[in-house]
Amino acid sequence: MKRTYFLLIAASVFISSSVVFSKPRPEVKGSMQQMFTSLLNLQPFLASPEKFSSPKNSEIIRKDLNRLAQFRHIFPQEAKNQEPGLYTISRMFHEYIQDARDRFKAGSYEYSRHRLRTATSFCFSCHSRVPSEQNYQDLEKRVESSQLTPFEKADVFAATRQFDKALKAYTDILSAVPSTSLGIVEYTRSLRRALSITVRVKQNPKETLDLIDSVAQRKELPEFVLRLAQQWRKDAQFWMEEKETKKKLSPEELVQKAQKLISRAVLLQTFPADENGDISYLRASNYLHEALEEAPQSQSRVEALYLLGVAYSALQDPTLWDLDRLYFESCIREAPHTDLSRKCFHRYADKVYMGYTGSAGTFIPQDEQKRLEELRKLSDSKSG
Ligand code: HEC
């Protein structure tokens, strides 16, 4: 599925457009509210394998799945010229929902149910890209009054841009001690989500440090949670000590700042999947998204695409595991035959080799080999 998707990207051309996506259009808000409703409608079914597979519910479930699948139309192709990430996440989300819907129709209920339960990660990834002081107001308090578990509620708040409520719900979870293995998974996810909110949505070093401290000081927590918290603490402390600028940064300054943070994060890591630099990477991604949203055609655009690829490679979000590749590919296509395109190509190729290497060796499918070759030529300094 992923491969078809990349073929689509390869086949598409960059058409120039002056549509600005950083200011939410009214139709975006309307569609989003519709998604919110569909997501909530589905929750009671998602919580129960029996309800989800019962023939008497299938019509109503299918209706909401169809509504969620409408999503593709909200962010049109032109959005890619502004912020390829936004467009791509919307495509990934669409394919994800479509797959869940097809498998539901074919009777693979458990597969479909599990996919849909994690679909909220896409919503959150998109909404937490840039800082925001606004919370979506759900006047009817539909999440509060639902039958969801505290963790599910926290996730739905986060997915629907009710960030203050989400943060409160996550910190409540973090104040307990997880006892089961599922509890530990939910605990670390809550910690990561809460951090994304204080770092990216709120851009607040003090809240970030307080959050980490509230966990790091509790000796009764599992050892690896404490270790993570200790690692992040140093990075958050560094942020606290940074001189705060009140001045609004230009897109170029934002990209420079991100560049510095990434250089720092690389030094903190001792191996590629090392999480020591997470806070710096999260912050960097945030500044880069901001730069692209504010001035999609600024001079630092291609540098921003490259750095976003680097940041998302390091962050290793399982939902968006291919996003880094897309940024590298955009970088090569937008600035062929440059030093940056060569840097992007090396990163792109590394990721492809890693993805297709297993215990039996490396097998790269033909369509992927073709694309690699095409991108290699585009990044080459000699050819035209
Ligand atoms: C591709 C990116 C993307 C994805 C994926 C996404 N959204 Fe949104 N969402 C946006 C944008 C852009 C806005 C409007 C700008 C803003 O407020 O950030 C928005 C706004 C919202 C709002 C606020 C609407 C208002 O009236 O203020 C809600 C609620 C919402 N989204 C729900 C969802 C839900 C639920 C999902 C997942 C099922 C989801 N969104 C997935 C990009 C996305």
Side-chain angles (χ1 to χ4, degrees), residues 24 28-29 32-33 35-36 39 68 71 75 86 89-90 93 119 122-123 126-127 129 136 159-161:
V28 169
K29 287 199 165 182
M32 289 290 160
Q33 284 161 16
M35 307 250 292
F36 176 45
L39 189 72
L68 286 179
F71 189 80
F75 297 99
L86 191 67
I89 297 173
S90 78
F93 179 72
F122 288 95
C123 323
C126 242
H127 299 148
R129 290 163 20 260
Y136 171 60
T160 54
R161 306 189 81 268

CSV table of all heavy atoms in Angstrom, one decimal, residues 24 28-29 32-33 35-36 39 68 71 75 86 89-90 93 119 122-123 126-127 129 136 159-161, ligand 1:
chain,number,residue,atom,x,y,z
A,24,PRO,N,-6.8,28.6,8.4
A,24,PRO,CA,-7.8,27.6,8.2
A,24,PRO,C,-9.0,28.2,7.4
A,24,PRO,O,-9.5,29.2,7.7
A,24,PRO,CB,-8.2,27.2,9.6
A,24,PRO,CG,-7.5,28.0,10.6
A,24,PRO,CD,-6.5,28.8,9.8
A,28,VAL,N,-12.5,23.8,6.0
A,28,VAL,CA,-11.7,22.9,6.7
A,28,VAL,C,-12.3,22.7,8.1
A,28,VAL,O,-12.5,21.6,8.5
A,28,VAL,CB,-10.3,23.5,6.9
A,28,VAL,CG1,-9.5,22.6,7.9
A,28,VAL,CG2,-9.5,23.4,5.5
A,29,LYS,N,-12.7,23.8,8.7
A,29,LYS,CA,-13.3,23.7,10.1
A,29,LYS,C,-14.6,22.8,10.0
A,29,LYS,O,-14.8,21.9,10.9
A,29,LYS,CB,-13.6,25.0,10.6
A,29,LYS,CG,-12.4,25.8,11.1
A,29,LYS,CD,-12.7,26.9,12.0
A,29,LYS,CE,-11.5,27.3,12.7
A,29,LYS,NZ,-11.7,28.4,13.7
A,32,MET,N,-13.7,19.2,9.6
A,32,MET,CA,-13.1,18.7,10.8
A,32,MET,C,-14.1,18.4,11.9
A,32,MET,O,-14.0,17.4,12.6
A,32,MET,CB,-12.1,19.7,11.4
A,32,MET,CG,-10.9,19.8,10.5
A,32,MET,SD,-9.9,18.3,10.6
A,32,MET,CE,-8.9,18.5,9.1
A,33,GLN,N,-15.2,19.3,12.0
A,33,GLN,CA,-16.2,19.0,13.0
A,33,GLN,C,-17.0,17.7,12.6
A,33,GLN,O,-17.3,17.0,13.5
A,33,GLN,CB,-17.1,20.2,13.1
A,33,GLN,CG,-16.4,21.3,13.9
A,33,GLN,CD,-17.1,22.7,13.6
A,33,GLN,OE1,-18.2,22.8,13.2
A,33,GLN,NE2,-16.4,23.7,14.0
A,35,MET,N,-15.6,15.2,11.1
A,35,MET,CA,-14.7,14.1,11.5
A,35,MET,C,-14.8,13.8,13.0
A,35,MET,O,-14.7,12.7,13.4
A,35,MET,CB,-13.3,14.5,11.2
A,35,MET,CG,-13.0,14.9,9.8
A,35,MET,SD,-12.1,13.7,8.9
A,35,MET,CE,-10.6,13.9,9.8
A,36,PHE,N,-14.9,14.9,13.7
A,36,PHE,CA,-15.0,14.7,15.2
A,36,PHE,C,-16.2,13.9,15.5
A,36,PHE,O,-16.2,13.0,16.3
A,36,PHE,CB,-15.1,16.1,15.8
A,36,PHE,CG,-15.3,16.2,17.3
A,36,PHE,CD1,-14.6,15.3,18.1
A,36,PHE,CD2,-16.2,17.0,17.8
A,36,PHE,CE1,-14.8,15.4,19.5
A,36,PHE,CE2,-16.4,17.1,19.2
A,36,PHE,CZ,-15.7,16.2,20.0
A,39,LEU,N,-15.8,10.3,14.5
A,39,LEU,CA,-14.8,9.6,15.3
A,39,LEU,C,-15.5,9.2,16.7
A,39,LEU,O,-15.4,8.1,17.1
A,39,LEU,CB,-13.7,10.5,15.6
A,39,LEU,CG,-12.5,9.9,16.4
A,39,LEU,CD1,-11.7,9.0,15.5
A,39,LEU,CD2,-11.6,11.0,16.9
A,68,LEU,N,-15.3,9.5,7.2
A,68,LEU,CA,-13.9,9.7,7.5
A,68,LEU,C,-13.1,9.6,6.2
A,68,LEU,O,-12.1,10.3,6.0
A,68,LEU,CB,-13.4,8.7,8.5
A,68,LEU,CG,-13.8,8.9,10.0
A,68,LEU,CD1,-13.2,7.8,10.8
A,68,LEU,CD2,-13.4,10.2,10.5
A,71,PHE,N,-12.1,12.5,3.8
A,71,PHE,CA,-11.0,13.4,4.2
A,71,PHE,C,-10.1,13.9,3.1
A,71,PHE,O,-9.6,15.0,3.1
A,71,PHE,CB,-10.2,12.7,5.3
A,71,PHE,CG,-9.2,13.6,6.0
A,71,PHE,CD1,-9.7,14.4,7.0
A,71,PHE,CD2,-7.9,13.7,5.6
A,71,PHE,CE1,-8.8,15.3,7.6
A,71,PHE,CE2,-7.0,14.5,6.2
A,71,PHE,CZ,-7.5,15.3,7.2
A,75,PHE,N,-7.8,18.6,1.9
A,75,PHE,CA,-6.5,19.2,1.5
A,75,PHE,C,-6.1,18.9,0.1
A,75,PHE,O,-5.6,17.8,-0.1
A,75,PHE,CB,-5.4,18.8,2.5
A,75,PHE,CG,-5.7,19.2,3.9
A,75,PHE,CD1,-6.2,18.4,4.8
A,75,PHE,CD2,-5.4,20.5,4.3
A,75,PHE,CE1,-6.5,18.8,6.1
A,75,PHE,CE2,-5.7,21.0,5.6
A,75,PHE,CZ,-6.2,20.1,6.5
A,86,LEU,N,1.7,18.3,5.4
A,86,LEU,CA,0.3,18.4,5.7
A,86,LEU,C,-0.5,17.6,4.6
A,86,LEU,O,-1.3,16.8,5.0
A,86,LEU,CB,-0.2,19.9,5.6
A,86,LEU,CG,-1.6,20.2,6.1
A,86,LEU,CD1,-1.7,20.0,7.6
A,86,LEU,CD2,-1.9,21.6,5.7
A,89,ILE,N,0.3,13.8,5.2
A,89,ILE,CA,-0.4,13.2,6.3
A,89,ILE,C,-1.8,12.9,5.9
A,89,ILE,O,-2.4,11.9,6.3
A,89,ILE,CB,-0.2,14.0,7.6
A,89,ILE,CG1,1.2,14.1,8.0
A,89,ILE,CG2,-1.0,13.4,8.7
A,89,ILE,CD1,1.5,15.1,9.2
A,90,SER,N,-2.4,13.9,5.2
A,90,SER,CA,-3.8,13.7,4.8
A,90,SER,C,-4.0,12.5,3.9
A,90,SER,O,-4.9,11.8,4.0
A,90,SER,CB,-4.4,15.0,4.3
A,90,SER,OG,-4.0,15.2,3.0
A,93,PHE,N,-3.5,9.3,6.0
A,93,PHE,CA,-4.7,9.1,6.8
A,93,PHE,C,-5.8,8.5,5.9
A,93,PHE,O,-6.5,7.6,6.3
A,93,PHE,CB,-5.1,10.4,7.4
A,93,PHE,CG,-6.4,10.3,8.2
A,93,PHE,CD1,-6.3,9.7,9.5
A,93,PHE,CD2,-7.6,10.9,7.8
A,93,PHE,CE1,-7.5,9.6,10.3
A,93,PHE,CE2,-8.7,10.8,8.6
A,93,PHE,CZ,-8.7,10.1,9.8
A,119,ALA,N,-6.2,5.4,14.7
A,119,ALA,CA,-6.3,6.4,13.6
A,119,ALA,C,-6.2,7.8,14.3
A,119,ALA,O,-5.8,8.8,13.6
A,119,ALA,CB,-7.6,6.3,12.9
A,122,PHE,N,-3.1,10.2,13.7
A,122,PHE,CA,-2.9,11.0,12.5
A,122,PHE,C,-3.5,12.4,12.9
A,122,PHE,O,-2.9,13.4,12.5
A,122,PHE,CB,-3.7,10.5,11.3
A,122,PHE,CG,-3.0,9.3,10.7
A,122,PHE,CD1,-3.4,8.0,11.0
A,122,PHE,CD2,-2.0,9.5,9.8
A,122,PHE,CE1,-2.8,6.9,10.5
A,122,PHE,CE2,-1.4,8.4,9.2
A,122,PHE,CZ,-1.8,7.1,9.5
A,123,CYS,N,-4.7,12.4,13.5
A,123,CYS,CA,-5.3,13.7,13.8
A,123,CYS,C,-4.3,14.5,14.7
A,123,CYS,O,-4.1,15.7,14.4
A,123,CYS,CB,-6.6,13.5,14.6
A,123,CYS,SG,-7.7,12.1,14.1
A,126,CYS,N,-1.2,16.0,13.0
A,126,CYS,CA,-1.4,17.2,12.1
A,126,CYS,C,-1.7,18.4,13.0
A,126,CYS,O,-1.1,19.4,12.8
A,126,CYS,CB,-2.7,16.9,11.3
A,126,CYS,SG,-2.4,17.0,9.6
A,127,HIS,N,-2.5,18.2,14.0
A,127,HIS,CA,-2.9,19.4,14.8
A,127,HIS,C,-1.7,19.9,15.7
A,127,HIS,O,-1.8,21.0,16.1
A,127,HIS,CB,-4.1,19.0,15.7
A,127,HIS,CG,-5.3,18.6,15.0
A,127,HIS,ND1,-6.2,17.7,15.5
A,127,HIS,CD2,-5.7,19.0,13.8
A,127,HIS,CE1,-7.1,17.6,14.6
A,127,HIS,NE2,-6.9,18.3,13.5
A,129,ARG,N,1.4,20.2,14.9
A,129,ARG,CA,2.6,20.6,14.1
A,129,ARG,C,3.0,22.0,14.5
A,129,ARG,O,4.2,22.3,14.6
A,129,ARG,CB,2.3,20.6,12.6
A,129,ARG,CG,2.2,19.2,12.1
A,129,ARG,CD,1.5,19.2,10.7
A,129,ARG,NE,1.5,20.5,10.0
A,129,ARG,CZ,0.5,21.3,9.9
A,129,ARG,NH1,-0.6,21.1,10.4
A,129,ARG,NH2,0.6,22.4,9.2
A,136,TYR,N,-10.3,23.7,20.6
A,136,TYR,CA,-11.6,23.5,20.0
A,136,TYR,C,-12.6,23.3,21.2
A,136,TYR,O,-12.4,22.6,22.1
A,136,TYR,CB,-11.6,22.3,19.1
A,136,TYR,CG,-12.9,21.9,18.6
A,136,TYR,CD1,-13.7,22.7,17.9
A,136,TYR,CD2,-13.4,20.6,18.9
A,136,TYR,CE1,-15.0,22.3,17.4
A,136,TYR,CE2,-14.7,20.2,18.5
A,136,TYR,CZ,-15.5,21.1,17.8
A,136,TYR,OH,-16.7,20.7,17.3
A,159,ALA,N,-6.7,14.4,19.9
A,159,ALA,CA,-7.0,14.3,18.5
A,159,ALA,C,-7.9,15.4,18.0
A,159,ALA,O,-7.9,15.7,16.8
A,159,ALA,CB,-7.6,12.9,18.2
A,160,THR,N,-8.7,16.0,18.9
A,160,THR,CA,-9.7,16.9,18.4
A,160,THR,C,-9.3,18.4,18.8
A,160,THR,O,-10.2,19.2,19.0
A,160,THR,CB,-11.1,16.5,18.9
A,160,THR,OG1,-11.1,16.4,20.3
A,160,THR,CG2,-11.5,15.2,18.2
A,161,ARG,N,-8.0,18.6,19.1
A,161,ARG,CA,-7.5,19.9,19.4
A,161,ARG,C,-8.1,20.5,20.7
A,161,ARG,O,-8.2,21.7,20.8
A,161,ARG,CB,-7.8,20.9,18.2
A,161,ARG,CG,-7.3,20.5,16.9
A,161,ARG,CD,-7.4,21.6,15.9
A,161,ARG,NE,-6.3,22.5,15.9
A,161,ARG,CZ,-6.3,23.6,16.7
A,161,ARG,NH1,-7.3,23.9,17.3
A,161,ARG,NH2,-5.2,24.4,16.7
B,1,HEC,C1,-3.8,16.6,7.4
B,1,HEC,C2,-3.9,17.3,8.7
B,1,HEC,C3,-5.1,17.0,9.6
B,1,HEC,C4,-5.5,15.8,10.0
B,1,HEC,C5,-5.0,14.4,9.6
B,1,HEC,C6,-6.6,16.0,10.8
B,1,HEC,N1,-6.8,17.4,10.9
B,1,HEC,FE1,-8.3,18.3,12.1
B,1,HEC,N2,-7.5,20.1,11.6
B,1,HEC,C7,-6.5,20.3,10.6
B,1,HEC,C8,-6.4,21.8,10.3
B,1,HEC,C9,-5.4,22.4,9.4
B,1,HEC,C10,-7.4,22.4,11.1
B,1,HEC,C11,-7.7,23.9,11.2
B,1,HEC,C12,-6.6,24.7,11.7
B,1,HEC,C13,-6.3,24.4,13.1
B,1,HEC,O1,-7.2,24.7,13.9
B,1,HEC,O2,-5.2,23.9,13.4
B,1,HEC,C14,-8.1,21.4,11.9
B,1,HEC,C15,-9.1,21.6,12.9
B,1,HEC,C16,-9.8,20.6,13.5
B,1,HEC,C17,-10.8,20.8,14.5
B,1,HEC,C18,-11.3,22.2,15.0
B,1,HEC,C19,-12.4,22.7,14.2
B,1,HEC,C20,-12.9,24.0,14.7
B,1,HEC,O3,-14.1,24.3,14.5
B,1,HEC,O4,-12.1,24.8,15.2
B,1,HEC,C21,-11.3,19.6,14.9
B,1,HEC,C22,-12.4,19.3,15.9
B,1,HEC,C23,-10.5,18.6,14.2
B,1,HEC,N3,-9.6,19.2,13.4
B,1,HEC,C24,-10.7,17.2,14.3
B,1,HEC,C25,-10.0,16.2,13.6
B,1,HEC,C26,-10.1,14.8,13.8
B,1,HEC,C27,-11.1,14.1,14.7
B,1,HEC,C28,-9.2,14.2,13.0
B,1,HEC,C29,-8.9,12.7,12.8
B,1,HEC,C30,-10.0,11.8,12.7
B,1,HEC,C31,-8.4,15.3,12.3
B,1,HEC,N4,-9.0,16.5,12.7
B,1,HEC,C32,-7.4,15.0,11.4
B,1,HEC,C33,-5.7,19.4,10.0
B,1,HEC,C34,-5.9,18.0,10.2
